[in-house]
Amino acid sequence: MPKNMSKQVLKTASHQDLQTSELIATNVSYAVGEKQILNSVSVRFGVGKVSMIIGPNGSGKTTLLKALTGELTDITGEVHYGSERLTRRSAQSFARIRAVVSQQSELAFPLTVAEVVMMGRYPHFVAAPTQEDKRICTEILERMDLSTFQKRNYLTLSGGERQRVQFARALAQVANMKGAYLLLDEPTSYLDLKYQHEFLTIARERAEAGAVVAAVMHDLTLAAQYGDYCVAMNGGEIVAEGTPNAVLTSALLREVYGVNSVILSASELTYPIFATSVIHR
Amino acid sequence: MLHILRNVRFGAIYGAFAVLLVAVALLSVRSGAINLSYAQIWDFTLAALGGTTASDSLHQAVFLQIRLPRVVLSAAVGAALSVSGVLMQALFRNPIVEPGLVGTSAGAAFGAALVFVLGKSIGAAYSDALGAFALPLAAFAGAFVATVAVYRFSAVGGKVSVATMILAGVAVNAIANAGTGFMAYIARDPQARSITFWTLGTFTSADWRAATIVSATTLLCTAIALRYAKSLNALLLGESDASSLGVDVRRLNITLLVLNTVLVGTATAMVGVISFMGLVVPHLLRLLRSADNRFLIVASALLGAVLMILADTLARTLIAPAELPIGVITAFVGAPVFLWLLFRQHRGSAGKGGFYA
């Protein structure tokens, strides 16, 4: 398992210690008109763990993530970062310890890659970036193999390259934070194989350094390989949670996704492989 | 392609634009029906600073009471419209937005036309003391209502729909223009003529009062906008990414709407509707150097001032002693330049990542 790829770049310094504790949703509901999108969801994302949120399209995964970030202001129920409750006001102060990678960014202006990554440092400096901010961005660009892209116009990048830039921005936002919250919405959707592993390895490193990581995932093998915890959603509710091995069963996949599956294990692997097919009626 | 200033420092660009601004201002105060020499300008300035009257009092009056306030007003209006373009493009997250598209200018024009035509007949309310502020206030109110309407229609759930924005802009512009047209229709002749002339913009009535009001509001609004430069950049990523970067998006949106309408409302109240400035200047700067809003705000203010002084100098010298409406110059020069940019960019980036790719 590539958990310990020895890259020390993002090693956390402790000068801005904020003790991270669990990210907790309590009875969170959200409706648009008649349609109930989240139905009284309660869940805890633990410190030092990578938690994977899985489920079919439209099951409420992204909405749950948005409720957790504070982007949705009209939810019922409560979200707590440790003992502190998330409100519209506190949402801003959390920007120094919580980073989000959303599915797509709307950017329609020719910012450079370096400028977009520097935005991650915005919550940390007032007018102009400090040497420290610049150093962090340089390191992260290097780590994401984006050093040669620094001056590239973001709009000329491919989907996967954009995703790397957005991930770099999120990492820059919570760099140097011992405890941090990293919320990722389908972080690997546009990436090639190498970068899928690279992303999730970095996410693991951050978790092991004391962060809370929650990611919406579609690839179950990757979810099982890199996740410590797995939350399965369907119809706006959590239908199962626990370790990936406990949650990701054939019965659950049939119930949630409506697919047949064969779950393979190999002696040299610590995680299962999922082979799935459509159910023919 | 046009990125020729890519590696030039922001400070150096500001410096160059500032030098250009002084040069253009000097050129503009010199030329007109009476040409002044640099020596005369120097004498008049010294005399005015010393509080005395130069030997040539007619030429001094032309310089101090006509030319100078007009150049200051042109610069302030150019800066105001360009900065407003930057703010609106960030608010709508779309590079095609300008005050003319989203109803700001038309709303301001309608507000001002109301004061023009009905102002005198309200009588008591229109005392001369109040009159000075009635026009800018009415223009501001019109601009604000129109812009907020378009914004409300087009931004739903934090996302701006381009199609809805354009359609709402068309509808709001139609209402405001119809209102202005109706005012012109019921107005008596001199008022009607001034409305028509004024919908194309004019600096003929420039005086120190107008120059001071527009300069002060423009400086103030630009300074405030500069404080929000970081938030504006974050907003370009979309409301959800901006809020995850710690921006209070709702407050930022309101601030931007107010700043923008103050800038455009004040400028429009004094000189009428001037098109294309707010669109072309930020575009040009993005293509030349950077889309960083910190840079765009400062550089747009300077470049907008330079271009507006040039446009006004052309407007009053081309067919001297008569004058062209300034909006005619900015549209005749600005629109083809814009089309050319559009053409170049589009050809270079067809099918890639949009206009700026």
Side-chain angles (χ1 to χ4, degrees), chain A residues 111 152-158 161-162, chain B residues 349 352-353 356-357:
Chain A
L111 291 170
R152 276 278 294 277
N153 175 351
Y154 180 86
L155 300 178
T156 63
L157 303 181
S158 72
E161 289 162 345
R162 289 181 182 201
Chain B
S349 67
K352 275 203 290 185
Y356 280 114

Side-chain angles (χ1 to χ4, degrees), chain B residues 51-355:
Chain B
T52 57
T53 309
S55 52
D56 188 353
S57 63
L58 171 68
H59 282 185
Q60 190 188 20
V62 167
F63 171 65
L64 283 179
Q65 298 307 323
I66 299 177
R67 297 272 171 81
L68 202 54
R70 185 162 178 157
V71 167
V72 173
L73 181 63
S74 312
V77 168
L81 294 179
S82 306
V83 171
S84 140
V86 173
L87 302 184
M88 291 309 271
Q89 289 168 12
L91 174 67
F92 283 89
R93 291 182 285 293
N94 194 308
I96 65 168
V97 172
E98 67 131 5
L101 184 81
V102 292
T104 320
S105 300
F110 180 41
L114 281 175
V115 173
F116 272 150
V117 178
L118 304 178
K120 294 286 182 198
S121 57
I122 304 171
Y126 196 85
S127 63
D128 272 350
L130 205 64
F133 294 100
L135 192 59
L137 280 179
F140 168 76
F144 189 74
V145 170
T147 316
V148 169
V150 174
Y151 183 74
R152 284 268 170 231
F153 275 113
S154 52
V156 176
K159 297 235 187 303
V160 177
S161 151
V162 179
T164 321
M165 174 186 78
I166 292 172
L167 293 173
V170 167
V172 169
N173 275 323
I175 295 171
N177 289 335
T180 309
F182 181 67
M183 285 299 126
Y185 179 73
I186 64 167
R188 275 177 237 104
D189 191 46
Q191 293 170 331
R193 274 181 54 105
S194 68
I195 290 179
T196 314
F197 207 67
W198 190 79
T199 49
L200 287 166
T202 174
F203 286 106
T204 40
S205 60
D207 54 18
W208 279 115
R209 185 185 63 90
T212 315
I213 292 178
V214 182
S215 305
T217 48
T218 305
L219 279 176
L220 184 69
C221 291
T222 307
I224 296 173
L226 215 45
R227 290 176 53 103
Y228 285 94
K230 253 180 9 176
S231 303
L232 285 171
N233 282 347
L235 191 61
L236 297 184
L237 298 178
E239 290 194 2
S240 90
D241 284 350
S243 83
S244 81
L245 285 169
V247 177
D248 185 341
V249 174
R250 223 182 296 179
R251 221 181 81 189
L252 178 65
N253 286 347
I254 295 168
T255 310
L256 288 178
L257 282 167
V258 171
L259 281 179
N260 173 64
T261 37
V262 170
L263 283 167
V264 176
T266 317
T268 306
M270 298 303 166
V271 302
V273 179
I274 299 174
S275 59
F276 268 99
M277 215 57 176
L279 184 63
V280 172
V281 172
H283 266 291
L284 208 54
L285 290 168
R286 278 192 204 101
L287 293 172
L288 288 173
R289 177 63 177 87
S290 166
D292 183 341
N293 282 291
R294 202 173 340 198
F295 166 73
L296 286 182
I297 290 170
V298 179
S300 288
L302 291 167
L303 185 60
V306 168
L307 293 178
M308 193 62 90
I309 293 175
L310 274 180
D312 180 53
T313 312
L314 283 179
R316 61 193 174 77
T317 52
L318 274 183
I319 54 164
E323 274 195 27
L324 285 168
I326 184 93
V328 171
I329 306 269
T330 55
F332 268 148
V333 179
V337 167
F338 187 70
L339 285 173
W340 174 72
L341 290 177
L342 204 61
F343 176 69
R344 274 187 76 132
Q345 284 305 114
H346 186 67
R347 211 178 33 175
S349 67
K352 275 203 290 185
F355 180 78

Side-chain angles (χ1 to χ4, degrees), chain A residues 23-40:
Chain A
L23 175 54
I24 310 157
T26 316
N27 296 325
V28 171
S29 296
Y30 181 72
V32 177
E34 293 286 284
K35 195 170 157 49
Q36 195 72 27
I37 303 194
L38 286 181
N39 193 4
S40 195

